[in-house]
Amino acid sequence: MSVLETPRLLFRGRVTFDPIVTNNQPAEYDESYSRTVFNPGADVAAFRKAAIAAVVGGNWNPHGTHRSTFYETFLVGVDTGHGPTADDPIVKCPVSFAGMLVDVEPYGAFSSQLFFDAISFGIQGGCRVFAPRTTRMTGRYINFARNTTYNPAVDPNVAAGGASVVWQTSFPKAGGLRVDQHDSPVLRQLAEALEDDDVLGLTVRWNAYRTLYFDSLVPSNNPDLARQLQNKLTGGGFQPNPARSELVGVLGLWRKGEPASEPGDRALLTQQSASMASAHVRLSADQLTLDLANSVPETGVDLTKLNLGDLTAVAVAADGTTVLATLGTFGYDAYRREAYNGTAGIVTLKVDPAAATTAQTADIQLRQSDGAVLLAEAALRAIPAVPNTYLDEGEATRLAVLVLDRGRPASAGVSVAMVNPASSTSASVSAVTDANGIATFPLVGTVGQVESFLLVPGQGAPVPQDIDPQTTTYAYVRTLPADADVARLAPTWVNVHAQVLRNWEAMAPCMDNWLLLGDAAQVKSFAAMVRRLTAKSNFESYRFMPVTRDLTAGERALLYAFLDGTTTVAAAETPAPRSLRQQSRALRGG
């Protein structure tokens, strides 16, 4: 099952991440009230100036656009069941993707997602898979120990440069998914596989790692580069500063019983995070396929992989020690940098059928030659169907949670606890799985806030104290306040700007390049576009506004009342018309 089944496409390249990070701190942004925090008497200009002043202190991208774009990304191989090969017409074709990076919880690091419209593998008019978005991409299994070069003691503000993360989403075959085969054997196999009733569509899973801040390969240079950026920002003009990551990825089948937004294979969880991060495996009758894309650390910016020696996969008894069967061994050549680049971190081992049979109902471990356990299987995993949920205050919904037992939907009657680790009483609610392995939980948005919930399967299973993205499964829920008092305000420009648009104008200077949010006449003239971009029905769209998805119901009502109003903008509310020369200079910061 999953992308660890064949056929699959393998790709490699780079990706930019260009978020505004000014909203990462409570001093600048209130995530419960969804509002920019202005100091007493401060206006938009003062807020922007303070954001620039904080660049040296860690606010590394006050002019961000939130855009995330693949570049120099190409298909490097295919696997039709006989191992990776570059012998297919689609190899060397580009992979094209553009999304918007948004955190459900701006203060935290575990709720990242990418809103996008489509992803393309190949060339229009030639061999290509074109996949329109059904669900946003979700970041999971963040590995903060991925690269030992990035030392928080040297530069704590961009320590995430040493991290890596798994991104995944899936595309139903009934959702506009296209496979243009032409003369590509692997695409022909994919198209044939999609005719199987058990196949729901395709899944893309990719890993981003070695993130460069200030486009520097030397992390110790970042403080000086931050000062240089600060000087540029102070001098004026539009100065985005995207981070840049390496990536490897895979496109493969999405079958019934598999989650759409995160790995659903058998989960091998880290036992020594500094040596190897959690991984996922698929076991067939005679083969074990390991996804190590997020697992083996690098020892430097040159991406040399840590040599852990020979690694052996074994099936163990319930005591976690006794070996019941040896599944296979592989050496450094299978996971070194060159192999990783060509296989997206996927390692395949031939397995004796008798050993495979034993391992179907036993836990799998990955061990070093001295017997040290690097990874150990957690048989039960509870995975949310929607990892990140947005609610309006007073809105109710239900969260579906799929429980997997060694990578397959669990039977009915498995208990699942949903625990809020921030609760002082560790309050939790429980549900049991149905015949499809799904437990459901009610969610109600009662007040503006961001909540995280641990999902713990198994009766009496120990409850972790907090989220560990390497070992726990979890869901985030953000409730946007109703802001009924805002909705009741008179729809004047003064009110709309103060209660709605000023928040975006201050936090997102990049908007000046497209729409001056402090210009009443311009906002009014683009009323139809603003309504379309802010419509709740377009929430999943790449171009939804605001990018941060924190427009409340009350703010929307006030904004629309202003846009729909028949009264003209008062002269005092309208800046004097600017010449084309003045507008050009303004967009350059002059």
Side-chain angles (χ1 to χ4, degrees):
M1 300 199 302
S2 86
V3 296
L4 300 187
E5 185 182 1
T6 56
R8 56 177 174 260
L9 279 61
L10 306 165
F11 59 95
R12 177 174 176 258
R14 295 179 173 87
V15 58
T16 61
F17 293 108
D18 190 34
I20 300 165
V21 292
T22 311
N23 67 345
N24 288 176
Q25 302 295 330
E28 286 79 33
Y29 180 78
D30 188 322
E31 66 177 24
S32 295
Y33 286 94
S34 303
R35 291 290 182 89
T36 300
V37 176
F38 291 91
N39 291 327
D43 58 8
V44 168
F47 184 94
R48 291 182 175 185
K49 185 176 180 180
I52 292 172
V55 166
V56 173
N59 185 21
W60 55 268
N61 198 22
H63 280 193
T65 63
H66 285 275
R67 290 177 177 175
S68 179
T69 306
F70 285 4
Y71 70 104
E72 298 176 0
T73 300
F74 301 91
L75 289 153
V76 296
V78 302
D79 193 337
T80 58
H82 306 287
T85 177
D87 188 19
D88 191 281
I90 200 168
V91 171
K92 297 185 180 180
C93 287
V95 180
S96 303
F97 170 81
M100 292 290 191
L101 176 65
V102 181
D103 290 339
V104 173
E105 182 196 26
Y107 303 162
F110 303 156
S111 64
S112 296
Q113 54 203 340
L114 287 166
F115 291 87
F116 72 107
D117 290 340
I119 186 170
S120 173
F121 304 82
I123 299 174
Q124 185 174 3
C127 302
R128 184 175 73 148
V129 176
F130 179 74
R133 174 259 311 144
T134 297
T135 57
R136 69 193 83 133
M137 288 190 185
T138 304
R140 277 296 196 260
Y141 288 92
I142 303 171
N143 175 10
F144 287 106
R146 176 62 179 268
N147 197 310
T148 58
T149 301
Y150 293 82
N151 184 353
V154 174
D155 187 5
N157 298 310
V158 290
S164 61
V165 63
V166 175
W167 293 94
Q168 180 172 311
T169 192
S170 300
F171 309 95
K173 55 189 178 184
L177 180 66
R178 286 185 54 184
V179 179
D180 299 326
Q181 307 171 38
H182 289 272
D183 54 350
S184 167
V186 70
L187 294 190
R188 184 162 55 251
Q189 283 196 22
L190 274 180
E192 291 172 354
L194 287 170
E195 295 177 3
D196 188 337
D197 289 340
D198 190 58
V199 175
L200 298 175
L202 298 179
T203 291
V204 62
R205 184 187 303 170
W206 53 282
N207 186 253
Y209 61 104
R210 201 199 65 179
T211 300
L212 301 181
Y213 293 87
F214 306 100
D215 203 19
S216 172
L217 281 168
V218 183
S220 60
N221 289 342
N222 286 342
D224 286 339
L225 294 171
R227 281 186 283 272
Q228 292 177 27
L229 174 64
Q230 187 180 67
N231 292 335
K232 291 179 181 178
L233 290 162
T234 302
F238 181 44
Q239 305 286 348
N241 181 44
R244 295 167 172 83
S245 301
E246 301 289 311
L247 73 88
V248 296
V250 57
L251 178 72
L253 300 179
W254 175 33
R255 288 190 180 272
K256 291 180 180 177
E258 294 179 347
S261 299
E262 64 180 276
D265 316 281
R266 297 178 68 163
L268 273 57
L269 305 186
T270 180
Q271 307 301 297
Q272 302 179 37
S273 58
S275 297
M276 181 171 280
S278 297
H280 292 81
V281 302
R282 174 182 182 265
L283 178 67
S284 68
D286 62 354
Q287 188 169 272
L288 181 71
T289 306
L290 303 93
D291 182 358
L292 302 180
N294 196 44
S295 301
V296 182
E298 288 93 11
T299 59
V301 294
D302 65 351
L303 301 178
T304 297
K305 288 286 188 180
L306 179 66
N307 190 342
L308 297 165
D310 288 351
L311 303 176
T312 300
V314 297
V316 298
D319 61 12
T321 301
T322 305
V323 175
L324 301 176
T326 298
L327 303 177
T329 298
F330 58 97
Y332 185 57
D333 283 347
Y335 60 89
R336 66 191 305 158
R337 180 185 61 191
E338 294 78 8
Y340 178 84
N341 289 341
T343 65
I346 296 174
V347 176
T348 302
L349 304 175
K350 293 295 294 182
V351 178
D352 178 77
T357 298
T358 299
Q360 295 293 347
T361 55
D363 289 342
I364 296 173
Q365 293 181 354
L366 192 65
R367 297 182 173 186
Q368 290 181 279
S369 57
D370 62 359
V373 178
L374 296 176
L375 305 176
E377 183 170 11
L380 291 178
R381 299 291 278 173
I383 298 177
V386 181
N388 298 318
T389 298
Y390 289 84
L391 297 174
D392 286 328
E393 186 176 331
E395 183 180 0
T397 188
R398 298 188 69 82
L399 176 67
V401 176
L402 172 65
V403 177
L404 297 175
D405 186 350
R406 293 196 171 89
R408 298 181 181 277
S411 57
V414 177
S415 177
V416 183
M418 186 170 76
V419 184
N420 183 345
S423 171
S424 59
T425 59
S426 297
S428 67
V429 294
S430 297
V432 296
T433 56
D434 61 16
N436 297 312
I438 296 174
T440 58
F441 296 88
L443 295 176
V444 179
T446 56
V447 65
Q449 62 182 330
V450 181
E451 298 176 283
S452 60
F453 296 96
L454 290 161
L455 301 168
V456 185
Q459 186 68 39
V463 176
Q465 294 298 305
D466 207 345
I467 290 174
D468 178 346
Q470 278 294 298
T471 59
T472 58
T473 56
Y474 57 94
Y476 270 87
V477 179
R478 180 168 190 177
T479 300
L480 300 177
D483 279 348
D485 56 334
V486 174
R488 289 192 292 267
L489 293 172
T492 64
W493 170 250
V494 171
N495 286 337
V496 168
H497 185 257
Q499 300 297 324
V500 185
L501 299 180
R502 186 174 74 141
N503 293 302
W504 311 347
E505 186 185 11
M507 189 67 67
C510 64
M511 282 299 299
D512 291 359
N513 295 293
W514 296 281
L515 178 64
L516 295 174
L517 296 175
D519 186 325
Q522 190 174 121
V523 171
K524 189 85 168 182
S525 67
F526 285 97
M529 180 190 73
V530 172
R531 280 193 65 104
R532 183 173 67 253
L533 294 180
T534 58
K536 193 173 181 180
S537 59
N538 289 329
F539 187 86
E540 297 292 333
S541 172
Y542 170 76
R543 297 190 182 279
F544 181 83
M545 190 174 75
V547 173
T548 44
R549 269 69 179 176
D550 54 0
L551 178 65
T552 70
E555 290 172 339
R556 181 181 281 107
L558 177 61
L559 174 63
Y560 286 6
F562 170 76
L563 297 176
D564 295 344
T566 57
T567 58
T568 58
V569 177
E573 299 174 342
T574 307
R578 292 185 293 184
S579 68
L580 291 176
R581 178 183 176 84
Q582 289 174 321
Q583 292 184 51
S584 176
R585 289 181 61 83
L587 291 177
R588 296 199 307 270

